[in-house]
């Protein structure tokens, strides 16, 4: 475990304990952006708590649920693709995911 402290204000210091691998990824991410790990945490906390544009409140107001007809059309198209042999096996998908997310252990 990597343990580090970040000072958010003059009167408060927080200690966080995270696995070393995640700490190293965060440190590399911060370094790419010319930030210290402390600065990165402050930026991320600011994004989580910002009143004007929080990542929790972002949504696309134009997005609507699928209609019954749209869902049935998607199912029909999926079945047609399967009949045409346009699909991937479980093993093919797993290999692609392992390659794409090789940094996840």
């Amino acid at each position: 475990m990597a343990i580090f402290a970040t000072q958010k204000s003059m009167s408060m210091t927080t200690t966080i304990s995270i696995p070393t691998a995640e700490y190293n990824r965060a440190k590399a991410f911060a370094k790419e952006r010319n930030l210290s790990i402390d600065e990165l945490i402050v930026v991320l906390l600011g994004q989580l708590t910002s009143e004007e544009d929080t990542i929790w409140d972002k949504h696309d107001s134009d997005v609507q649920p699928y209609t019954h007809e749209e869902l049935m059309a998607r199912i029909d198209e999926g079945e047609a693709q399967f009949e045409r042999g346009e699909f991937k096996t479980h093993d093919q998908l797993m290999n692609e995911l392992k390659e794409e997310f090789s940094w996840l252990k």
Side-chain angles (χ1 to χ4, degrees):
M1 289 282 186
I3 299 176
F4 61 94
T6 182
Q7 187 171 1
K8 188 172 181 186
S9 71
M10 295 302 286
S11 62
M12 184 173 117
T13 299
T14 303
T15 301
I16 302 170
S17 179
I18 60 173
T20 302
E22 281 77 7
Y23 174 78
N24 289 336
R25 277 200 295 277
K27 191 173 175 182
F29 183 85
K31 184 177 181 181
E32 289 173 5
R33 286 149 183 82
N34 296 318
L35 296 171
S36 70
I37 194 75
D38 290 349
E39 291 168 326
L40 176 64
I41 291 169
V42 170
V43 168
L44 293 174
L45 288 173
Q47 289 177 353
L48 290 174
T49 59
S50 170
E51 290 183 17
E52 69 266 359
D53 191 24
T54 68
I55 62 173
W56 305 111
D57 296 334
K58 287 184 181 178
H59 58 75
D60 187 346
S61 60
D62 295 334
V63 175
Q64 299 295 321
Y66 287 107
T67 65
H68 177 73
E69 292 78 19
E70 290 170 325
L71 289 171
M72 295 308 294
R74 290 184 66 154
I75 292 169
D76 291 342
E77 177 58 24
E79 290 175 344
Q81 288 173 336
F82 181 80
E83 289 174 8
R84 293 191 302 263
E86 299 172 2
F87 61 88
K88 294 180 183 180
T89 66
H90 174 266
D91 290 337
Q92 289 171 321
L93 287 173
M94 290 306 294
N95 288 335
E96 286 180 18
L97 289 171
K98 285 178 184 175
E99 186 177 314
E100 183 176 350
F101 299 105
S102 62
W103 51 273
L104 290 175
K105 299 291 178 193

